[in-house]
Structure formats: C-alpha cells, structure tokens
Amino acid sequence: MPITLIANASWIVAYDAKAKGHVYLRDGDVAYDGNRIVHVGGSYKGKADATIDGRGKMVMPGLVNIHSHPSSEAMTKGWNDELGSPKMYGTALYEFMPLFRCDAEGIKSCAQVTYSELLMSGVTTLVDMSVAWDGWLETFKASGLRGVFSPMYRSARWYTDNGHLAKYEWDAKAGEAAMAAAMKLLDQVAADDSGRLSGMVSPSQIDTCTPELIQASYAEAEARKVPFQIHAAQSVVEFHEITRRHGMTPVEWLESLDVLGPFSIIGHGIFLDHHSSVKWPATDDLGCLVETGTNVAHCPIVFQRRGIAMQSFGQYVAAGVNVGIGTDTYPHHMLEELRAVCIGSRMMAEDVYDLRTSDAFNAATLGSAKALGRDDIGRLAKGAKADIVIVDVMHPMMRPLRDPIRSLIYAAGERAVTTVIVDGVTVVDNGKVLTMDYAAAAAELEEAQRRAEPKVKGLDWAGRDHLEISPLTFPSGR
C-alpha cells in the first residue's frame, strides 16, 4: 500500500498507551500505510510515496460522533432555534418536532448537508440515527465518512392535541415489522466490503417502545455483536411518563429490563434522579450507569437552546460514566458541541473546574470510540485507522498560539480545519469537502424547507401556521 507522510508537524495529539490518553508531541512526523497508521512522533525514516507538509499544522485524531440525525435536523435551521413548549417543560419534542420534517425528495440533500458539515468540523466516524430512506447506504458511502448505521424504529408515535399533554398512539405489530426491516438493513451493512461501515441497533425512544421491543432489540445487538442505543432521560415529560407507568426512573426501568451494559448507549441521559427538574427520590442513577458500564451520548447544543442542560458533564465524568459526544441538531459542527460541553457544564456546576478541556476532547475521541467498542479510532497510534484531522495553527483565529486544542475549541472551530482523512483517503482539503457538493445540497435543502412550511398548519393541533409558531426575528417591512 502507498505510504503517506505528514512531515514536520508542529503539533501532534498522539495517544500514549502507557498513560492511556492523549499527549502533545512537537515537531514530528505521522505516517500511514493505506488505511493504517504506521508512525506517530519523532522522525519517520522509511520511504514515503506522498508527503504532506506539516509545518504550521496540528495533526489530531478524527472525532467520533455517536449520536446524530442527518436525514432530518439540518432542515430545521431557522425554524427550531427558539421553540419549546412552555407547558411541557421547554421541550420541542412532542408539540413542534413532528410539524417540520423533510419530504422524501429532500432527505438526500439534508443528509449531504449534515455529512459535509461534520467532515468540515473534523468528524471521521458518524453514528447515523435515521429512519431508513431510499438511497441511504449509497449516499453515506459516497460521503467518505466511517459510518455506524443505526436505523430507528418504534412501537408508538407521540403527539399532543392540547400543548400540555404527551399522548401515544400504539401499534406494537408495526414496531416489530419496522424492527425486522431495520435488521435487514443491518445485514446489508454487514455485507458491505468498503471496511468503513458497521451497524447499531436502535429502538427509537424509551417512551415509544414496548418493553418487548426494547428487550428483543438488545438481544439482536448482542447476537450481532454491535452497540445498542436508545433515547432515554431526554425530557422531563418522558421522565414523568416512565415514572407514571413503572414507578421507576428511565435508568432504573432500563436496568430492570436488563438492557444496560458496556455496549449500551443512552441517547442524552440528562434527566437522572439527581437532576433538579425532576424532584424524584434519589436512586443513584449515576451509580447504576457506572456499575453496568453503560455509556451516555451527550449532545449539549440542542438542549441548551431551550434552557436545558446536563447537571453536569463534569459530574458524570468524575463519577466514572463513559460519555461520548454527538450532534443532535444543526449546526453539525462537533467543535462547537465541544465548546458547548465545556461552557455549559461549568455554568451548571457554577465551577470553572467542573471539567477540563481534555475531558471534552477525550469524550469526542476515546469516549465515543469506547462506546462503539472500538480501540482503533479516536486516537493517533500505530495500528489505528488512518482517520486524521489536520489543523492550521497559523490561522489568525488560532493565534496567539499557546495551547492548540483550546484555541481550536474556544476560538477557531472548524475554520482552522484544513484536511480530513478517513480510512487513509483525503475527503476534505483546504477546508472544502471533496466528496459532495455542499453548496448544491444546501440549496436543494432550502427548497425542501419551503415545501414544508405550508404543511405546518394542517399538522399542528391548534391549526397555527409556521410564522405564528416560529415568527421571523424581525417583522417584514414594506
């Protein structure tokens, strides 16, 4: 295989096996042979078929995103930024989320916009949690990302017909059929020969799935030796619904179903028994997550928009919970999520030392990789996958340069990301995506958004149009 050398990198975020963590190295080389890293740090003495100039650059591992919805969320830009149900504890899940969705024609462009933004922000591995759509597999493969396909399904749909009460329309048989279809898709993914694709079993939400569907899903994940992820503890409404049904917190109930463990991921996991919004007797949900080895996918921005936050990320890490990072909403920029992790956690804890920047970066690399059962991604180490991000540390927003990861997360963001390599293939160069037409996809997605707007009135329980529900920032002038 051809060997590519990144020569004389000013900074390298390398994995130290003895320390079991990342370390900074200065003025060294990184080399990869095909899709595997063969050298990190110091001078590479072997022959190279291609050389990338690393001077003035930081080389770091690709980020691992363990929770995202590419086929839907990008289209809600400008609609969902300031929406939440006042009588449902601020969540937008039940009243507003079902009103503004992509039609079949717009889904591909929605996904391409998401994939492009994620690549430009340094994501190399993505858990794609979508309801299966035509062309999904082909579109994802063309993006160049390393993908974990996570087709979602459920036993019920949620809705509200009054703006203050969540209701559920159940069809257990339909949920079972949808699960069977999802497993067929995972069979296709497993048969793919690209080496970049794998699967995940994902019953959608704890409150929309029967216990039988959840347990059958977990059994499938175990049999297939793939991770299992379910949305849980994501809203106060859901917390109260589960305690009403079962007299247990969402975490307690999942534990009673015997579906928690090292390959289980709780999507969000915000409203545990200790959260100040739930007013529930202490049952040590955090301790349960630690004891079972269950992982949490943390996506701060989508909640912070509505005045909701984990209490706190630093507390979860200190307790020993393995936390990974995802982008549950637009903008699909992982580096902005990491900034939100750090700032939000300190605000909730009212303590600047609640977490360190290293905790957030570790979560987006090593923590996410661990949740997926992988030790060959999220790190720059000999033998790991060649999933690599190159950052321009001479970019004005990176300077003055004292600590490049801090400058990247708190200041420059994706603007300083120049090159992204996935499985040894360059997919972003000079900050531009090479595998998709980002601008064209964004234009097509805007057309899909226009098509969605007039449909809102017929879907809303109160018959409101889209401008009544989500007015523009300023009224239109003459």
Side-chain angles (χ1 to χ4, degrees):
M1 298 290 286
I3 294 178
T4 300
L5 172 66
I6 306 172
N8 304 309
S10 297
W11 297 80
I12 301 171
V13 181
Y15 182 75
D16 186 323
K18 290 183 179 179
K20 296 182 179 180
H22 300 302
V23 295
Y24 278 141
L25 302 179
R26 299 296 305 272
D27 303 320
D29 299 340
V30 174
Y32 54 97
D33 183 351
N35 68 352
R36 291 281 179 179
I37 296 172
V38 295
H39 178 88
V40 180
S43 179
Y44 177 70
K45 302 300 184 182
K47 177 181 177 295
D49 300 284
T51 300
I52 299 171
D53 187 358
R55 291 173 296 180
K57 303 293 193 297
M58 174 175 67
V59 184
M60 69 178 216
L63 303 177
V64 181
N65 182 333
I66 63 168
H67 189 106
S68 189
H69 304 295
S71 63
S72 59
E73 293 304 314
M75 199 193 73
T76 64
K77 185 185 298 180
W79 155 264
N80 207 21
D81 314 73
E82 299 178 289
L83 281 182
S85 298
K87 296 180 180 180
M88 302 182 85
Y89 304 95
T91 185
L93 289 174
Y94 309 93
E95 185 174 14
F96 301 124
M97 192 177 80
L99 304 183
F100 208 69
R101 314 302 284 176
C102 253
D103 56 20
E105 186 181 352
I107 286 178
K108 181 177 179 179
S109 58
C110 192
Q112 288 177 321
V113 165
T114 302
Y115 299 155
S116 297
E117 291 182 354
L118 289 171
L119 283 170
M120 290 187 294
S121 69
V123 170
T124 53
T125 297
L126 173 65
V127 173
D128 187 337
M129 305 178 73
S130 295
V131 175
W133 52 277
D134 290 341
W136 184 13
L137 189 61
E138 296 76 16
T139 302
F140 192 101
K141 286 180 66 175
S143 75
L145 280 158
R146 186 178 304 284
V148 182
F149 277 73
S150 188
M152 296 188 299
Y153 51 90
R154 58 188 184 175
S155 312
R157 74 172 186 94
W158 58 36
Y159 68 98
T160 181
D161 57 12
N162 55 23
H164 67 262
L165 179 65
K167 297 184 177 181
Y168 299 83
E169 183 179 9
W170 292 90
D171 188 339
K173 292 295 183 184
E176 293 166 7
M179 176 181 169
M183 295 309 106
K184 286 184 179 179
L185 179 60
L186 292 189
D187 290 339
Q188 294 179 40
V189 169
D192 181 77
D193 61 1
S194 70
R196 291 186 288 110
L197 307 185
S198 60
M200 175 182 286
V201 179
S202 286
S204 293
Q205 300 100 6
I206 188 175
D207 51 334
T208 62
C209 294
T210 65
E212 294 80 12
L213 191 75
I214 294 172
Q215 290 176 315
S217 298
Y218 186 78
E220 276 286 349
E222 284 192 313
R224 294 168 179 269
K225 296 181 170 56
V226 300
F228 165 90
Q229 182 165 184
I230 188 168
H231 291 79
Q234 68 170 330
S235 74
V236 176
V237 171
E238 173 226 282
F239 184 95
H240 289 323
E241 179 66 21
I242 296 302
T243 58
R244 182 190 66 80
R245 292 180 195 173
H246 308 292
M248 292 182 275
T249 71
V251 169
E252 280 186 293
W253 189 58
L254 290 174
E255 184 185 27
S256 77
L257 297 178
D258 200 23
V259 298
L260 298 182
F263 293 106
S264 295
I265 304 169
I266 291 181
H268 306 312
I270 293 173
F271 294 103
L272 306 189
D273 62 309
H274 71 270
H275 199 284
S276 61
S277 295
V278 301
K279 311 299 183 185
W280 191 256
T283 56
D284 197 18
D285 282 346
L286 270 180
C288 176
L289 297 179
V290 174
E291 184 178 346
T292 58
T294 301
N295 310 278
V296 170
H298 183 40
C299 311
I301 289 177
V302 69
F303 294 98
Q304 289 179 8
R305 282 184 184 145
R306 296 169 177 87
I308 299 167
M310 180 179 277
Q311 293 179 338
S312 65
F313 181 90
Q315 182 178 352
Y316 283 52
V317 172
V321 178
N322 183 59
V323 185
I325 304 298
T327 56
D328 192 72
T329 187
Y330 63 88
H332 288 90
H333 296 163
M334 276 285 275
L335 296 169
E336 293 191 17
E337 292 284 351
L338 294 187
R339 186 185 309 140
V341 168
C342 295
I343 294 173
S345 189
R346 291 167 184 149
M347 288 185 67
M348 297 308 294
E350 298 183 345
D351 181 4
V352 70
Y353 295 105
D354 178 63
L355 83 166
R356 300 287 82 193
T357 306
S358 58
D359 295 323
F361 190 84
N362 287 343
T365 51
L366 303 175
S368 290
K370 181 180 178 181
L372 297 178
R374 303 285 296 259
D375 61 5
D376 60 345
I377 59 175
R379 67 188 68 193
L380 295 184
K382 187 175 180 180
K385 294 289 188 182
D387 293 358
I388 299 167
V389 174
I390 301 177
V391 176
D392 179 10
V393 297
M394 305 306 289
H395 189 287
M397 290 201 70
M398 291 288 290
R399 306 180 81 177
L401 183 68
R402 178 176 179 270
D403 184 323
I405 289 295
R406 286 184 188 159
S407 289
L408 182 66
I409 291 174
Y410 296 114
E414 71 280 356
R415 287 163 290 207
V417 174
T418 63
T419 306
V420 178
I421 299 158
V422 181
D423 213 38
V425 177
T426 299
V427 291
V428 174
D429 189 37
N430 291 320
K432 304 295 183 183
V433 179
L434 304 180
T435 55
M436 294 166 288
D437 189 335
Y438 176 39
E444 291 171 4
L445 185 58
E446 187 167 330
E447 293 178 5
Q449 192 180 69
R450 296 291 80 74
R451 293 194 299 271
E453 288 172 342
K455 299 176 183 178
V456 168
K457 187 178 180 69
L459 295 171
D460 179 51
W461 68 271
R464 296 164 292 185
D465 68 21
H466 69 100
L467 287 173
E468 186 178 357
I469 293 173
S470 181
L472 301 183
T473 301
F474 300 111
S476 298
R478 287 184 290 177

